Amino acid sequence: MSVDKLFNALQTLSQRTNEAHEPSDYVLGVVVSDSPLTIKLEQGDELSGDFLVLTDLVRDYSVDIEVSHTTENRAGGAGDSAFESHNHDYKGRKKITVYNALKVGESVIMLKQAGGQQFVVLSRLYDHTGLSGQWG
């Protein structure tokens, strides 16, 4: 979800809250399934599917980035001169994926739609769990 979409969703939620004279509440939950995403509320109810609106802070998404750097020197091969230590430019617009999807056991903070059934999942409460990048 883009920042503009998130802003518009929160603006609509705020407007509906004012119209209904019912304030939105923040709600805490725990992810009990990641496929399909299901979140258990403190009160014991479980939410999934159409009841959840996800922000980029809690879902995988792709973005474009601009890069402009030179790689570090690196050698390879079996001593052939074609594989001598070298570097090269790495420039331009690149697409990357940010792996932000929620994992089972993570705690989240949500905003409940005033008078409605939808919940905006704003963020996790603690660091990501189950990271599996090259450092993991």
Side-chain angles (χ1 to χ4, degrees):
M1 176 178 279
S2 72
V3 173
D4 289 337
K5 286 183 182 180
L6 175 60
F7 176 76
N8 289 338
L10 291 174
Q11 191 174 37
T12 300
L13 187 63
S14 176
Q15 181 180 0
R16 289 181 183 167
T17 298
N18 291 335
E19 290 170 359
H21 301 289
E22 296 180 35
S24 295
D25 290 324
Y26 81 87
V27 179
L28 301 178
V30 175
V31 177
V32 294
S33 172
D34 55 15
S35 185
L37 180 61
T38 306
I39 297 174
K40 185 173 185 173
L41 304 179
E42 291 178 309
Q43 302 85 348
D45 296 330
E46 290 188 1
L47 305 170
S48 61
D50 292 338
F51 296 104
L52 301 174
V53 177
L54 306 178
T55 66
D56 284 350
L57 292 175
V58 295
R59 68 179 189 89
D60 293 345
Y61 65 97
S62 296
V63 294
D64 286 337
I65 63 169
E66 181 91 15
V67 294
S68 179
H69 68 272
T70 302
T71 62
E72 296 177 4
N73 283 332
R74 183 73 45 119
D80 189 306
S81 62
F83 299 108
E84 288 180 8
S85 182
H86 69 283
N87 62 17
H88 58 89
D89 291 338
Y90 185 69
K91 295 182 179 189
R93 192 172 175 153
K94 311 293 181 191
K95 178 180 176 181
I96 63 166
T97 299
V98 177
Y99 294 102
N100 246 1
L102 293 166
K103 306 269 190 305
V104 172
E106 290 186 310
S107 297
V108 296
I109 185 167
M110 300 178 288
L111 187 62
K112 181 180 187 276
Q113 177 185 14
Q117 298 296 317
Q118 284 193 316
F119 293 75
V120 178
V121 185
L122 299 172
S123 183
R124 45 182 58 74
L125 291 177
Y126 308 104
D127 288 343
H128 293 248
T129 60
L131 295 177
S132 61
Q134 69 186 50
W135 57 84

